[in-house]
Amino acid sequence: MATWRADARYTRLIERHGTSLLKLAVMLTGDRADAEDAVQDALIAVASSPASATAGLPYLRRAVSNRAIDIIRSRRDVLTDAVPERPADDFRFLRLEQDRAFFARVDALPVGQRATIVLRYFADMDDRIIAETLGVSVQTVRSQAHHALTKLRAAVEKEGGLR
Amino acid sequence: MNPEDQLKHLRDDDSAWDLAPIRAVRPRRRWAPVIVGVAVAAVAVVVVVGALQLRAFRTEHPAVPTSTPTAVATTAPGAEPSIAFDGDCSAVLAPDALASALGTAMPAYVDPVSLVGTPTDGNGFQLAQRGGTYCEWGTDPFSMKGADRYLEMAVVPEAALPGATGDTCGTVDDDALIDFSSCAFDVTVGDYRVIGALAAKNADVSSQVDAVISALTASIADVPAVVPTPDPSAWANPADCAALAPWVQPVVTTGVFRGKGTWVQGPFAGTAVGLFDPLGGANTADCGWSRETPGHSYETFTLSIHGGGAWTLQKVLDDPSSGSSMRELAVPGWDRVIEIDQEVGGPSWVLQDGVNAIAVYAPQRSLHEMLPVLDAAREALDAQH
């Protein structure tokens, strides 16, 4: 019975928030399959917990973010945060070429920087929540955000701006 | 379009995306409870067997350099240090005094920041164990992004953290303040060392720092430091990470750590840096090791040394907001061991040895596997002390 209830809750959460959360997970992982795993893992966990009765979108975003970051950390070089660059052509989940080009720059950021700006500007999280989500200090969040934005701005200037 | 707006555009414009709806059925997940059950059982077996074999396991690890360990840092923690001003920021700087100094109201953050709440953050550990208080004020108390003026400071008994530079307008190592004029300060006010920063948009803050320090002086210069004041001389004093290597390195070339690449010592991304680094003094260090494994992935672990960290560990445990993510483990040879579920990247563990604590984060390892490394690090600290 408990499993059935969890499944029903999971289905409702997917129906209600699936697309929005999937976009967030894609922003964090850069990969459709990983993003889907992150969303499903997170929503199953939420559905199986008492929190599901009251879980709002911010709570769900955080759960998905945790799982997505877990996934990208598990597959990347966590020591140097080095990320192999992928061509913009990989990001076919975005329709426009200019969006793909921007995404390629985001994807090339170190994990911490990428997660920080996605959570701040895409998931609209407060710095404190981002700090808790990433397990770092607020100072680190602010520093990571600055470094990420500086790199992205520099890339835009170098390439003549996004149009 | 700037990066912030580009991210918001992707957030808000569904037409930019070409994503099929996520599937709502995932039958394999029905096995999750079984898998979890098996995993829990396996972990339980490992813990029980590990506990039984622990002492034998320790004796197996290779001899470490024979610098004779001198003082063994297993001093009992002693009396718990009080927290300056009981953590009450309005006692550090009353709202009226701050408004008068800066010419504008600066509400304190509604949700007081607890640096202690992030026990793997060395600054948080050190602030609490030195009896310090952390305060933040801003013109927008809810969001740093919305504030046009911002003040933060750590107020610590100077006896527990000597060495103020006296600087009143240094460079602020906080990149989020890039659009602000800012001054870092590190001053002695009465019995306290105050480390902090003032930042404002479209304003010269150097004179305002002087006003803030004057207001602080009027407020706390005559307030005696808390008693008991922490005594850092009794804490572990990790000179630097390299000093741990002669003890740790032999361990990570044997047993479960052997093969699959060579371990090297190196920096670890993600640790807190910046303004409040001085809180660590000479009693803290984050030391990372890594090795490249086949497939161009990396295995890493980090040892965070917290000289005097025993008290902070207790405070973290006492914090009701952190209770659900922590549990205490019994590990022979260590006074206390806490497992912290970080949600991201697996658990970390904090091990108390007398007045000191060592936090270990090893995403691909169990605590049992890491114990020989921790023992080696402890021996290195004992030898340095």
Side-chain angles (χ1 to χ4, degrees):
Chain A
M1 181 62 80
T3 300
W4 179 85
R5 282 178 181 161
D7 283 354
R9 286 187 190 129
Y10 166 71
T11 302
R12 283 202 302 275
L13 290 170
I14 283 283
E15 288 171 351
R16 191 176 301 169
H17 301 296
T19 302
S20 151
L21 295 172
L22 182 61
K23 282 167 59 178
L24 170 60
V26 167
M27 290 298 298
L28 287 166
T29 64
D31 181 273
R32 164 68 199 244
D34 282 349
E36 192 164 324
D37 278 349
V39 172
Q40 290 181 328
D41 287 352
L43 292 192
I44 286 169
V46 172
S48 306
S49 76
S52 64
T54 56
L57 190 54
Y59 182 91
L60 296 174
R61 280 178 174 161
R62 191 169 169 190
V64 169
S65 300
N66 283 334
R67 184 65 194 124
I69 292 163
D70 203 5
I71 287 172
I72 55 178
R73 281 186 173 163
S74 70
R75 75 180 189 218
R76 287 183 172 173
D77 169 1
V78 294
L79 177 73
T80 62
D81 255 2
V83 182
E85 288 202 28
R86 290 188 284 170
D89 209 33
D90 276 8
F91 309 116
R92 295 188 177 281
F93 41 78
L94 292 170
R95 295 183 195 279
L96 300 178
E97 186 59 38
Q98 67 184 45
D99 287 341
R100 290 180 193 169
F102 173 74
F103 195 95
R105 296 189 196 104
V106 173
D107 190 66
L109 292 171
V111 172
Q113 294 178 20
R114 173 212 192 112
T116 299
I117 62 162
V118 168
L119 296 182
R120 191 191 253 191
Y121 298 107
F122 192 90
D124 214 21
M125 288 184 186
D126 179 86
D127 286 353
R128 293 177 201 289
I129 302 299
I130 298 172
E132 289 175 16
T133 302
L134 299 180
V136 299
S137 70
V138 174
Q139 292 281 337
T140 300
V141 167
R142 293 170 182 165
S143 175
Q144 297 271 35
H146 170 66
H147 287 307
L149 294 175
T150 300
K151 284 180 188 169
L152 291 174
R153 286 177 188 136
V156 168
E157 285 177 12
K158 186 178 177 183
E159 295 166 22
L162 289 169
R163 296 180 176 85
Chain B
M1 196 183 295
N2 64 37
E4 301 94 311
D5 290 340
Q6 186 78 18
L7 285 161
K8 290 172 184 170
H9 148 69
L10 292 176
R11 178 189 66 194
D12 299 332
D13 186 356
D14 287 337
S15 69
W17 295 81
D18 187 13
L19 280 176
I22 194 168
R23 297 187 305 276
V25 180
R26 204 183 195 199
R28 71 179 176 85
R29 288 296 173 186
R30 293 177 192 279
W31 290 99
V34 177
I35 294 168
V36 169
V38 171
V40 168
V43 168
V45 169
V46 168
V47 169
V48 170
V49 173
L52 292 173
Q53 295 183 341
L54 201 55
R55 293 196 179 277
F57 195 154
R58 284 205 174 118
T59 59
E60 285 170 10
H61 86 256
V64 295
T66 53
S67 303
T68 306
T70 50
V72 177
T74 50
T75 312
E80 179 179 359
S82 302
I83 296 298
F85 305 97
D86 292 325
D88 179 3
C89 292
S90 67
V92 175
L93 258 177
D96 288 350
L98 183 58
S100 175
L102 295 177
T104 184
M106 291 271 282
Y109 276 86
V110 174
D111 180 20
V113 174
S114 171
L115 287 180
V116 184
T118 54
T120 53
D121 176 336
N123 291 343
F125 251 99
Q126 296 287 339
L127 179 74
Q129 72 203 38
R130 292 177 195 277
T133 288
Y134 175 79
C135 300
E136 273 184 306
W137 298 268
T139 45
D140 177 348
F142 299 103
S143 168
M144 164 76 193
K145 287 177 282 181
D148 62 12
R149 196 171 319 210
Y150 176 74
L151 173 65
E152 63 181 332
M153 64 179 70
V155 183
V156 188
E158 190 175 34
L161 187 66
T165 64
D167 197 352
T168 56
C169 194
T171 303
V172 178
D173 190 4
D174 182 348
D175 294 320
L177 299 178
I178 193 71
D179 298 326
F180 291 65
S181 301
S182 56
C183 284
F185 48 87
D186 181 0
V187 296
T188 299
V189 180
D191 287 347
Y192 297 92
R193 179 173 174 181
V194 185
I195 302 169
L198 174 67
K201 286 182 177 174
N202 306 315
D204 173 14
V205 291
S206 58
S207 60
Q208 295 180 1
V209 167
D210 294 337
V212 167
I213 293 171
S214 294
L216 264 176
T217 303
S219 177
I220 68 173
D222 295 329
V223 179
V226 291
V227 176
T229 299
D231 178 12
S233 68
W235 302 347
N237 186 8
D240 56 45
C241 294
L244 298 185
W247 274 262
V248 172
Q249 201 68 28
V251 178
V252 297
T253 58
T254 60
V256 296
F257 296 94
R258 187 167 44 204
K260 295 182 182 177
T262 303
W263 287 96
V264 295
Q265 207 176 7
F268 193 83
T271 50
V273 294
L275 184 64
F276 295 108
D277 272 358
L279 289 174
N283 303 107
T284 184
D286 289 321
C287 305
W289 275 263
S290 72
R291 66 174 170 183
E292 186 171 4
T293 56
H296 303 290
S297 59
Y298 279 81
E299 181 180 0
T300 66
F301 67 85
T302 303
L303 303 177
S304 298
I305 312 300
H306 300 286
W311 285 121
T312 310
L313 196 57
Q314 184 59 53
K315 289 179 188 302
V316 169
L317 287 168
D318 290 343
D319 181 353
S321 68
S322 63
S324 62
S325 63
M326 299 189 190
R327 67 191 181 108
E328 192 158 358
L329 307 174
V331 178
W334 293 85
D335 294 331
R336 183 169 231 176
V337 177
I338 308 299
E339 181 177 82
I340 302 166
D341 178 7
Q342 301 184 121
E343 294 189 359
V344 178
S348 62
W349 300 279
V350 185
L351 296 88
Q352 179 194 337
D353 178 41
V355 295
N356 304 312
I358 302 176
V360 56
Y361 178 58
Q364 289 148 285
R365 294 288 171 184
S366 68
L367 175 59
H368 178 68
E369 288 176 321
M370 293 306 297
L371 281 174
V373 175
L374 289 155
D375 285 343
R378 174 165 58 179
E379 290 177 51
L381 294 174
D382 290 349
Q384 288 174 21
H385 188 70

